């Protein structure tokens, strides 16, 4: 049975909240990507997320909250974490914080770790749904595990339409990249680059944020080496179109590109277009045909774009 497509109005949001309360899966838009939501306190509902996505159970989930005040009920938020939350919530920032023993969240959410990933999304539909539901919603990206993240309701239906109860159609996601994830060990650590540039975080804290080491255990979503991947193989740093490949351009001078992330070289525009462009080129690709991507500057949102592209191009396990 195909998922219901709900409008982002009072009736649609009430229906979505009721489905979440009944332990069903509901996809909804955030400013980053569409999330696949379930009641974070319901073991069976959270388990359905893993089943629908085909997601490894050791990969934690992000819990979405309606406001920053709710975070204190589930995690210890102080020091640098509290400073970042005050500056960037609601927004494209996830904080991995010490889990309170009495949080009442399903242990599947944290993959058995003593920490939990929390975020307050900055999207009117997400906020309205979370407020209507009145509780924490576990919501990874609403796609099959390892595949391209969805930035439109149609992407969700294409990948998960027969595996979930409903999707709230809130249009295209304005940021188009998953949230930036920061943990504390005890100093701040960048666990995943994303929609909030690292430079903004470091400016807020007045200090450098260390990168995650490649051999560290998985402690947050989006850390698998092969992830966000289309079916077609992906090649990076293609300054000119390789023979036979579908070339994904960036900036001026890419007249031969099948698509261009941003003809003006705007990293914000490129981030918003990334997953949609990869999906479109994947649909166009003939068997064995590659997607080749032009070089992307590795600063600001370019750092997150390059992280997603490296994972898309990684060898498939």
């Amino acid at each position: 049975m195909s998922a219901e497509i709900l409008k982002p109005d009072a009736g649609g949001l009430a229906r979505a909240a009721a489905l979440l309360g009944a332990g069903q899966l509901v996809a909804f838009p955030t400013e980053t990507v569409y999330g696949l939501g379930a009641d974070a306190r319901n073991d069976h509902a959270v388990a359905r997320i893993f089943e629908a996505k085909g997601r490894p159970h050791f990969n934690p989930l992000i819990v979405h909250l309606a406001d920053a005040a709710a975070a204190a009920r589930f995690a210890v938020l102080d020091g640098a974490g509290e400073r970042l939350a005050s500056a960037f919530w609601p927004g494209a920032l996830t904080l991995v914080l010490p889990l309170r023993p009495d949080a009442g969240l399903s242990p599947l959410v944290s993959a058995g770790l003593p920490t939990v990933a929390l975020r307050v999304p900055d999207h009117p539909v997400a906020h309205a749904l979370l407020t209507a539901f009145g509780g924490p919603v576990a919501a990874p990206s609403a796609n099959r595990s390892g595949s391209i993240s969805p930035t439109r309701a149609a992407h969700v239906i294409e990948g998960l339409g027969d595996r979930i109860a409903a999707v709230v159609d809130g249009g295209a996601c304005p940021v188009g990249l998953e949230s930036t994830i920061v943990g504390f060990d005890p100093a701040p650590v960048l666990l995943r680059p994303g929609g909030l540039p690292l430079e903004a975080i470091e400016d807020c804290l007045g200090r450098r944020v260390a990168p995650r080491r490649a051999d560290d255990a998985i402690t947050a979503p989006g850390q698998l080496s092969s992830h966000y991947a289309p079916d077609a193989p992906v090649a990076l740093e293609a300054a000119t179109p390789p023979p036979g490949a579908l070339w994904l351009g960036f900036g001026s001078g890419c007249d031969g590109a099948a698509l261009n992330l941003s003809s003006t070289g705007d990293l914000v525009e490129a981030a918003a277009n990334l997953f949609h462009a990869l999906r479109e080129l994947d649909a166009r690709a003939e068997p064995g045909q590659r997607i080749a991507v032009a070089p992307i500057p590795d600063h600001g949102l370019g750092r997150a774009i390059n992280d997603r592209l490296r994972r898309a191009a990684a060898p498939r396990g």
Side-chain angles (χ1 to χ4, degrees):
M1 186 171 63
S2 184
E4 292 182 53
I5 301 177
L6 303 174
K7 293 182 179 180
D9 55 17
L13 293 170
R15 172 64 175 161
L19 287 168
L20 288 171
Q24 298 298 310
L25 301 184
V26 176
F28 61 95
T30 76
E31 73 278 23
T32 58
V33 300
Y34 272 73
L36 179 58
D39 184 345
R41 302 159 298 192
N42 184 325
D43 289 333
H44 293 289
V46 176
R48 289 192 179 102
I49 290 178
F50 292 104
E51 180 183 37
K53 287 178 64 71
R55 185 184 180 102
H57 281 58
F58 54 76
N59 203 0
L61 305 177
I62 296 173
V63 174
H64 292 64
L65 305 170
D67 54 58
R73 296 201 294 271
F74 305 106
V76 178
L77 180 61
D78 56 18
E82 187 173 32
R83 194 180 317 167
L84 290 175
S86 296
F88 301 116
W89 278 358
L93 175 67
T94 294
L95 297 176
V96 177
L97 302 165
L99 178 66
R100 291 192 182 278
D102 59 349
L105 299 176
S106 168
L108 293 172
V109 166
S110 58
L113 298 172
T115 54
V116 63
L118 300 179
R119 183 164 97 86
V120 179
D122 186 18
H123 191 290
V125 175
H127 180 264
L129 175 58
L130 291 164
T131 300
F133 178 60
V137 173
S141 56
N143 58 291
R144 300 286 183 96
S145 186
S147 65
I148 305 170
S149 298
T151 56
R152 291 161 171 76
H155 298 163
V156 180
I157 294 297
E158 178 186 345
L160 296 175
D162 60 347
R163 295 181 169 215
I164 65 176
V167 55
V168 181
D169 188 350
C173 300
V175 174
L177 282 174
E178 292 86 357
S179 61
T180 301
I181 303 180
V182 173
F184 305 91
D185 191 27
V189 177
L190 180 67
L191 299 178
R192 181 182 73 181
L196 178 66
L198 174 63
E199 292 86 345
I201 295 168
E202 292 181 331
D203 285 348
C204 174
L205 295 177
R207 62 181 296 178
R208 179 178 176 272
V209 175
R212 173 181 178 266
R213 295 186 301 270
D215 58 348
D216 283 350
I218 290 174
T219 56
Q223 294 180 337
L224 296 175
S225 58
S226 178
H227 209 56
Y228 315 111
D231 291 330
V234 176
L236 306 181
E237 301 295 329
T240 57
L246 291 170
W247 191 32
L248 179 57
F250 175 80
S252 59
C254 294
D255 294 339
L259 292 175
N260 196 316
L261 290 172
S262 173
S263 59
T264 63
D266 185 332
L267 289 172
V268 174
E269 182 183 16
N273 288 336
L274 177 63
F275 290 136
H276 186 63
L278 287 175
R279 283 176 176 274
E280 184 170 336
L281 292 182
D282 198 32
R284 291 190 202 178
E286 300 292 336
Q289 188 175 25
R290 292 184 302 160
I291 298 170
V293 186
I296 309 292
D298 201 40
H299 60 77
L301 286 180
R303 184 179 288 108
I305 294 170
N306 283 323
D307 172 80
R308 302 308 190 273
L309 288 171
R310 283 190 294 270
R311 295 176 193 275
R316 314 294 168 86

